[in-house]
Each structure stands twice: as C-alpha cells, then as structure tokens.
Amino acid sequence: SKYGEDFLNTTIGITSSIFSLVVNLVLALAFSLYLLAQKETLTGQAKKVVRALFSEKWAHWITDVARMTNRTFSNFVTGQLTEAVILGTLCFLGMLIFRLPYAGVISVLVGFTALIPIFGAFIGVGIGAFLILLVSPIKALWFILFFVILQQLEGNLIYPRVVGKSVGLPGIWVLAAVTVGGNAFGLAGMLLAVPLCSVLYTLARQGVNARLARKGLSS
C-alpha cells in the first residue's frame, strides 16, 4: 500500500509537470506569434512612450540601443543554429568513418543540444555514449574519444568564429560570457550571456572611442 501510494504520487507529479510544460510551450508559441504579427504596432507604441518620457537625445540613444540589441540577438540565433548544424554534420561524418552505430540519431541529438553554447553538446554525447554502450562498450569508448577531439576543435575554432563573428564579439569574450553566464544563471545564462555581452561590449567600445575623440586621441 505504501509503495503503491508513493508510485501514484510520483506518477501524478511527473504527469502534472509534463502537462504544465506542454501548456507553457503552447502559450509561449502563441504569444511569440502574436508579437511577430503586431511587431510594427508595438514598435511604434514603444517609440512614442520613449519619446514622451525622455528628452530627444536620450530617446534617440535608447532607440539605437534597442535596434542594436535586436540585431545582435537575431544574429546570435542564426549563428547558433549554423554552429549546431556544422557540429551535427561533423559528428555524423565522423561516426560513419569509424563505423559507430546510431550515427544519424546521435548526430541529430548532438546538434540539437549544441544550441546550448559550447557545453550543450556534452549532454548529447552522454546520451549517445549510453546508447552505443548497449551495443559495444569499446565503440562507446571510441565515440567519447572522438567527440572530445571534435569538441575541442569546435569549441576553440568553429564556435568562436561562427557565433563570435555573427554577434561582433571576439572569441575570448564568447568563452568568458558562456562560462560566467552559466555559473551565474545556469542554462538561461548560457543562452543569453553571449548576445548580452556583445551589446555591453559594443556600448563600452563606443563610450571609450567617444572619450578618446573628445581628448583628441586616436581610437
């Protein structure tokens, strides 16, 4: 009776969590579609509010920062998707060369989890290694070794160049932003740290160049 009650409570809890997640995803999708459909109207209303509350100089500055933030986040999403496709393709080709099982499924999983900057692909490789382990422990070991090398190549060469270039952020700052954002705010921090750091980096660079120009120094 006791174990049955615990099992029932656990099942109800898991079911409620899954249902809540599905509902939240549907609401988020609907809300996103509504924002896209009303983008021009909302943008115009936001501009009116900013111009009403602030002086013309500050309103112009806030508008420029908003445009830059929108452009940066859009470029980041594009770069992140491009990097995920590249990593998934390289993983698929490598698994075919080494004749590892479940090449297609694991490569798709690795590419999907790679949407989490730099560290996300390790989630996919953990699940993939477990699947291969059920077939052959030796092949699972080879898969882990192959992916460690691939991840080093991707993390140090491909990711900083693809994503860093798309948001105008140097590679060293991409790595620093992901590390600090992940430690401070977890998954959400890892996803938002790079574009946010890019915006702050651009504002800081503009401020420094402006002060140097006022002092008559070369930027």
Side-chain angles (χ1 to χ4, degrees), residues 46-47 50-51 58-69:
K47 288 181 180 179
V50 171
R51 295 183 64 182
W58 280 104
H60 181 71
W61 182 82
I62 293 173
T63 303
D64 288 341
V65 172
R67 287 198 188 101
M68 180 180 62
T69 303

Side-chain angles (χ1 to χ4, degrees), residues 42-151:
L42 294 175
T43 301
Q45 292 174 348
K47 288 181 180 179
K48 289 182 180 179
V49 171
V50 171
R51 295 183 64 182
L53 294 178
F54 300 95
S55 64
E56 191 66 26
K57 177 182 177 180
W58 280 104
H60 181 71
W61 182 82
I62 293 173
T63 303
D64 288 341
V65 172
R67 287 198 188 101
M68 180 180 62
T69 303
N70 176 66
R71 183 173 62 252
T72 300
F73 274 77
S74 298
N75 292 339
F76 172 74
V77 172
T78 303
Q80 195 67 38
L81 291 174
T82 303
E83 187 268 343
V85 172
I86 293 174
L87 181 61
T89 302
L90 292 177
C91 182
F92 179 73
L93 294 176
M95 293 184 69
L96 288 182
I97 293 174
F98 291 106
R99 301 181 183 276
L100 298 175
Y102 307 121
V105 175
I106 294 176
S107 298
V108 172
L109 181 62
V110 168
F112 181 77
T113 55
L115 295 175
I116 302 174
I118 296 182
F119 306 112
F122 285 107
I123 301 174
V125 75
I127 300 175
F130 176 75
L131 293 175
I132 298 176
L133 181 65
L134 300 177
V135 178
S136 172
I138 299 299
K139 289 185 177 182
L141 182 61
W142 277 109
F143 171 72
I144 294 175
L145 180 61
F146 157 72
F147 192 82
V148 167
I149 298 174
L150 178 62
Q151 181 66 13

Side-chain angles (χ1 to χ4, degrees), residues 175-197:
L175 297 175
V178 172
T179 302
V180 174
N183 289 333
F185 302 104
L187 179 59
M190 296 176 70
L191 292 174
L192 300 177
V194 174
L196 180 60
C197 182

